Amino acid sequence: MLLSIRSLSKEFPGTKALQGVDFDLAAGEVHALLGENGAGKSTLIKCLTGAYRRDAGEILLDGQAIDPASTAEAQALGIGTVYQEVNLLPNLTVAQNLTFGREPRRFGMVNRRAQSARAREMLAQYGIDIDVERDLGAYSVAIRQIVAIARAVEFSGKVLILDEPTASLDAAEVKMLFSIVRKLREQGLGIIFVSHFLDQVFELTDRITVLRNGRKIVTERTRDINRLRLISYMLGRELEEAARDQRTATKSIGQKPMLRFEGLGCKGVIEPFDLEVGKGEVIGLAGLLGSGRTETAELIFGVRGASSGAAQDDKGRIAHANPREAIAAGFGFTPEDRKVDGIVAELSVRENIILALQARRGWAAPLSRAEQERLADHYIGLLDIRTSSAEKPVGELSGGNQQKVVLARWLAMNPRFLILDEPTRGIDVGAHAEILRLIQEITKEGMAVLLISSELDELVAACDRVIVVRDRRHVAELDGDRITSEAIVHAIAQPGAASQFEAA
Amino acid sequence: VGFSQIGSESGWRAAETTLTRQQAEERGYTLQFSDAQQRQENQIAAIRSFVAQGVDAILLAPVVATGWDAVLQEAKEAEIPVVLLDRQVDSSDDLYLTAVGSDLVHEGKVAGEWLASEVGDNNCRVVELQGTTGSSPAIDRAKGFRDGIAGKANIEIVRSQTGDFTRTLGKSVMESFLQAESGGKDICALYAHNDDMAIGAIQAIKEAGLKPGQDIKIVSIDAVPDIFQAMAAGEANATVELTPNMAGPAFDALEAFWKDGTEPSKFIQTESKLYTQADDPSGEYERRKDLGY
Amino acid sequence: MGQTLKRIAPQLVTLTLVVALVTVIFPNFLAVSFDGTRFVGPAVDVLKRSAPVALLGVGMTLVIATRGIDLSVGTIMAISGAVAAWAITSGMGLPASVALAIGAGLMAGLWNGCLVAIVGIQPIVATLILMTSGRGIAQLITEGRILTFSDANLAFIGSGSLLGVPFPTVLWIATAVIVALLMRRTALGMLIEATGINRAASALAGVNATVLLIAVYMASGFCASLAGIVATADIRGADANNAGLWLELDAILAVVIGGNSLLGGRFSIAGTMIGALIIQTINTGIMLSGFPSEYNLVIKAVLVLVILVLQSPNLAADWLFVKSLVKARRAKVRSETP
Amino acid sequence: MSLNPRLYPLLATIGIFLVGYLISYLQFPAMLSTRVVGNLLTDNAYLGIVAVGMTIVILSGGIDLSVGSVIAFSGVFIAVMLRETSLHPLAVFALLLIITTAFGAAMGWLIHFLAMPAFIVTLAGMFLARGVAYMMTIDSVAISHPFYSMLTSAYWLMPGKGRLTLIGVLMLISVLIGAIIAHRTRFGASVFAIGGGEQTARLMGVNVGRTTVLIYAFSGLMAGLSGIVFSIYTGSGYPLATVGTELTAIAAVVIGGTILTGGAGYVIGTLFGVLTMGLIQTYIVFDGTLSSWWTKIVIGLLLLVFILLQKGLLRLTAFGEAGS
Ligand SMILES: Nc1ncnc2c1ncn2[C@@H]1O[C@H](COP(=O)(O)OP(=O)(O)OP(=O)(O)O)[C@@H](O)[C@H]1O
Ligand SMILES: Nc1ncnc2c1ncn2[C@@H]1O[C@H](COP(=O)(O)OP(=O)(O)OP(=O)(O)O)[C@@H](O)[C@H]1O
Ligand SMILES: [Mg+2]
Ligand SMILES: [Mg+2]
């Protein structure tokens, strides 16, 4: 075995994140590490690379016991890692990020020219040609993700670890990543691959290890396992998959729409668009990365100032120039980047859930503690948020559970129009189905939803109507039976749709 | 004329600035004023700017005694006469025209001698409120006072602590002195390095139920208006004057120098006059209260 | 209540240790007597002399909770003190003078708040501007001299006593209690914490972060103006040059010794108040000890360092780590001996 | 090929300095003499050097409040050592730099290994350094070593009687070295990385502990060097010197376009920040009509104006960029 982990344990205050986990990685295999949100995947990886001190257990690399005390040591041992939600350092240039720790030097000084050349070379493999001397922060999430992958590949002499690398990539980029991973596998590397996209797991990996609640459940060859069994390993129960034809058209034709946005736009950000939102309707927003979906949402919610346009409901014009006004108008918004714009990390789950509600009531009218606890418990149960207590700081939850907390915050507000920007990114299969079911449920009571997603299946399953965004313009609208993956792909892939690699 | 002032840390300093401005105006000079905010580096920079600007003379109230050689040399090379105000420097005396000021050690000595004659042969435990640690008035006034009481075994300085020349610290340090010396019963006199601290201390003594000026004798330095009020009320006993009018003698010396090149003596000492309750404190207060203290 | 106690336990222990240390050096430190109208004794002095730092600390705690810092509080003290003295000497009477002084503090806070929340200047620089120029404004009011007044009512705020307790003590404790209650009985505390931890996310959740930030700086200005009035009333004069000089550093120190993080978020006013007491105990202890003045700073620095090291979160974590190691070894031994 | 946007703050700083200088010149033509230029460098040499160290610290997201006290300590240390021993000044310099570097390293160590905020640790360091200076002497001590007279009078006379002094040149060299360290070494990259996000930096393989210690050691070294320069400048050691210099240095760094939260900035920008502060001082002296209090008010306001101009300029360029 290239890498062996024996009875690894790790405990956080209040949480046994890992309990006696064994894991083997052979040279020349891609090994999937699967499990629900909070199962312990990221923790296992961080213990492996020295980012966390493990409490017990041993790690063998090439039969030698290793004990990396820092990620630098792990890198030196030939373990390259893409961490979940760590998109390198936005304030360094792309070239600096790529070569960090291995800068080409001359006379002890960093050789800028060689550094840039090296960086361009590394990115060329991924078909990317960008100005590597700009700050990484100037580029889209997708580019950052690819840079992180390129860097990890560069550092992986023996082992490459990818913790949800595909969460913000679209199909073309995923394909490119897979071809590189396969090449590395042929070169004899061992690759650990974490993902919630089971299709990708089946497509790419050789073996699968499933974790649940910090314990290893099973390791099997990918081709010996089927989807349903895999899911039941992960969840510990069967999953009723959301049937996609369950969605009945709730939009009653002819009825006046609940909300109307006319000519909403912002110069240089998104072209003016019209949008009608019916009661209980689910509207999908499809497009490539950087096409302008998030901007559409931000404009509606008042995060960005609109340079033109107006919004109306049946009572007349509504103001939504900033989030507070938008909230007052009954809008809600779960942002795409939950870490930066969503959670308040050091506040508890309870406080995060009631935050928006409390903000709307104003500081002078506090929710009673009992009421807060009731709300928190209700949504922890409803969304199956995995936390040891409602008082745990949200920052200590696993990524997917953090997402659920943000969702709970807005459900507690009971808005009439909820905007969900990539609500299922990084969420496990179980919760994924749960969230789709939830969308169905809330819209039955009349709430309208704008769903931004890169997963076409999800859009097809959940939406009454899908709007396709391309090059910062709303270019097409599909509804009813015309909502199919093929139709969406077709609308996205019109000529000239390849601008996603440009810096903002 | 360029004037590099230390700062505006006290009323006395403000009065000096006001009087210098007045004097300049009366004599028809244009005063280039620069406040150094207590920093020597700012003063050096200011003098060099004066030189660059080509002023006719420079008045300098140095924040500290050392470290002026280079910049004074520069002024000398530019043939600009420099007059030191109020404090001395330890540079060679051919680098400046003259120094106007009082002798800080002498002030302390006057205060000490007053106390020595006041208590006669009675035992006296003295507490001392020092100026800002490290500042030359604090060092010299401490030294002068000790000179003044030298040889009097009956006078003993039992506690000294810095009050930073401020009223607030004067008061709070005095409070702890009182606590430490059995509620103040063991203290016979207070020597404060400036009047402001003395005024703060007087309040502390009053609040502790003692009578300042009687139970505890109070002697301080500067002769600012407020201390005369206290003296008039019998709450302070003596103060040693440090006149803020340093510019007058300085301009006199400059004028003589410009007229016929008269080299003034290197040190023009202002008077360190002692005022006690017998010297018409209310009158002195009225005389001073509008001088910008 | 129990939670608060648990939260500030390390600070209480530290305070006890510092008091014990001072008592060893100056045995009468804890002696309190009643002189007919009021309590006297070094410990009472500490309670009284903590007033400025404690008052500043209340506001500073809130500002720091929003991930800011307010370097201008010492200067605001000087401004408010100057305004109060100027108003009372021009015959305005106590209520008007105090109101004007507090108004000046609020205005200063508003200025800071706008620079931080609206213009978007980093707090340390924004407040540095007022720290520098504000003292000039204070001196402009007093014309550089000490503005002495003789109004007994105003003086009472600085040196009077209520039921034998020094009035400044009553004032800072009351302010701390009222502000703490305001924070915890309403949602303000949580909203401030949320803004401090993640302003962007809070704003998206509908928290009016801009107004909240301005309000917090105004609260700091308000507390600083109270401190300024106390300081002025104490010496019956406004010393624009020296009032509150470098006191912002003591206030920040009090906040940190009180166990609050400089990175914003969770805060405890009770902790800061104990921090202020610790600092004042050290200051008074130094004065009582009779060491020469030139040792003051070193003694203070060493004590502060020791306190910080003892309260360091990592040290606590290390202890836990050592404990868990011991536990693990024991468990291992147990499992190996069947 | 457009300009790299990360350069904008730097260009804004330089531009504002030049405009400020132009305005001063129009009002006081004497401002354009080599004398004033030489003075600007000499008078701000100690500040420039210490600000270089401060820049590195701030780039890493930290802060060092101890530097003003360390400068004072250095002066006192040199003066007392030269008075009490027969060591050559160069030996004393070496000794001093070792002490201040170790002092900085010790603070860095406390900051990292005890997870204490830099603000507080260096605040305690500030008390300590000045306290130790007091304990060595409370008096100001003149330095009268012949070697010192040589250092003080070491300058090159520029045309127009301006003096380019040794210490001015030393500052420029420090800025250069600081710039190389910050922008051209692995250590510098680590500094930016920590400033960008300590957790991420750690995951990327930065040895955060070692880097933090080195950062504060470097700041201590620069503070010591600045102390030497200051002692040459004033020819003495004085425990009350340079009170509040840390705040001036921070302001200079910020005006220089470095962001206080860390991770972005240029050492060269700091040089212009320092010169801008010097320009404000010079302007006020040249004006010479301001009273003590108006001096304070005007310094604060000018500071504000510079910061606002910078912000405005940046916003304009950002807008232009977005619009294009
Ligand atoms: N720093 C931390 N402090 C406390 N608890 C933590 C910390 N990091 C993780 N945990 C807890 O450890 C458990 C495992 O988390 P981990 O991040 O490994 O999950 P995961 O399998 O990667 O989930 P996801 O799919 O959502 O990324 C969770 O219950 C989480 O709350
Ligand atoms: N505030 C901002 N400043 C600079 N660039 C930005 C900003 N917001 C977004 N961008 C950039 O604009 C482009 C649009 O990205 P964005 O993610 O908003 O589009 P999208 O269509 O919502 O795609 P997705 O949601 O799938 O990522 C990206 O390159 C992003 O990096
Ligand atoms: Mg994870
Ligand atoms: Mg998006």
Side-chain angles (χ1 to χ4, degrees), chain D residues 5 34 36 53 55 59 66 77 90 109 130 133 158 169 173 191 207 213 229 267 312 320:
Chain D
T34 53
V36 174
T55 311
L59 280 175
S66 72
F77 180 83
L90 285 177
W109 184 83
R130 200 170 292 277
M158 292 184 284
V169 173
I173 294 174
V191 170
N207 186 336
V213 170
V229 164
V267 174

Side-chain angles (χ1 to χ4, degrees), chain A residues 12-13 15 17 35-44 52 84 163-164 196 386 392 396-401 426:
Chain A
F12 294 110
T15 317
E36 286 179 284
N37 294 131
K41 306 178 293 290
S42 301
T43 305
L44 177 70
Y52 287 160
Q84 185 180 13
D163 193 351
E164 297 198 30
H196 292 296
R386 300 290 166 85
K392 188 165 176 148
E396 289 174 12
L397 298 192
S398 78
N401 283 308

Side-chain angles (χ1 to χ4, degrees), chain A residues 139-140 288-295 304 336 421-422 454 472 504:
Chain A
Y139 293 99
S140 69
L288 291 177
L289 291 173
S291 54
R293 295 166 301 169
T294 297
E295 281 80 353
R304 279 171 192 270
E336 176 178 25
D421 195 352
E422 304 278 8
S454 301
R472 310 187 168 270

Side-chain angles (χ1 to χ4, degrees), chain A residues 415-489:
Chain A
R416 57 176 164 164
F417 181 38
L418 182 58
I419 306 164
L420 305 172
D421 195 352
E422 304 278 8
T424 56
R425 174 174 294 171
I427 278 195
D428 66 44
V429 268
H432 193 270
E434 199 70 13
I435 286 177
L436 291 189
R437 195 183 51 72
L438 220 98
I439 291 176
Q440 299 241 8
E441 209 141 282
I442 53 179
T443 50
K444 262 189 212 137
E445 283 148 33
M447 192 186 295
V449 170
L450 182 70
L451 176 65
I452 300 175
S453 174
S454 301
E455 279 183 74
L456 301 185
D457 291 347
E458 194 173 296
L459 291 174
V460 172
C463 298
D464 300 312
R465 203 148 50 99
V466 172
I467 294 166
V468 177
V469 189
R470 183 193 340 128
D471 290 343
R472 310 187 168 270
R473 265 170 57 191
H474 292 205
V475 292
E477 189 170 323
L478 308 166
D479 55 12
D481 295 338
R482 288 167 50 212
I483 306 179
T484 62
S485 299
E486 296 71 35
I488 298 175
V489 170

Side-chain angles (χ1 to χ4, degrees), chain A residues 51 71-72 75 83 86 88-89 91-93 96-97 100-103 105 108-110 112 131 133-135 151 268, chain D residues 1-6 180 183-186 189-190 192-193 195-197 200-206 263-264 321:
Chain A
T71 52
Q75 277 177 12
Y83 294 93
V86 176
L88 308 184
L89 288 160
N91 63 318
L92 298 188
T93 64
Q96 281 177 318
N97 269 293
F100 196 91
R102 291 196 186 167
E103 295 89 347
R105 288 190 291 187
M109 280 191 265
V110 175
R112 278 286 170 97
D131 182 356
E133 288 180 2
R134 290 232 171 159
D135 288 355
R151 174 182 159 81
Chain D
M1 181 67 210
S2 65
L3 210 55
N4 196 331
R6 56 158 45 203
I180 289 173
H183 307 300
R184 287 281 183 280
T185 63
R186 271 191 192 168
S190 301
F192 274 85
T200 310
R202 181 172 290 132
L203 288 180
M204 283 177 75
V206 176
E321 176 94 341

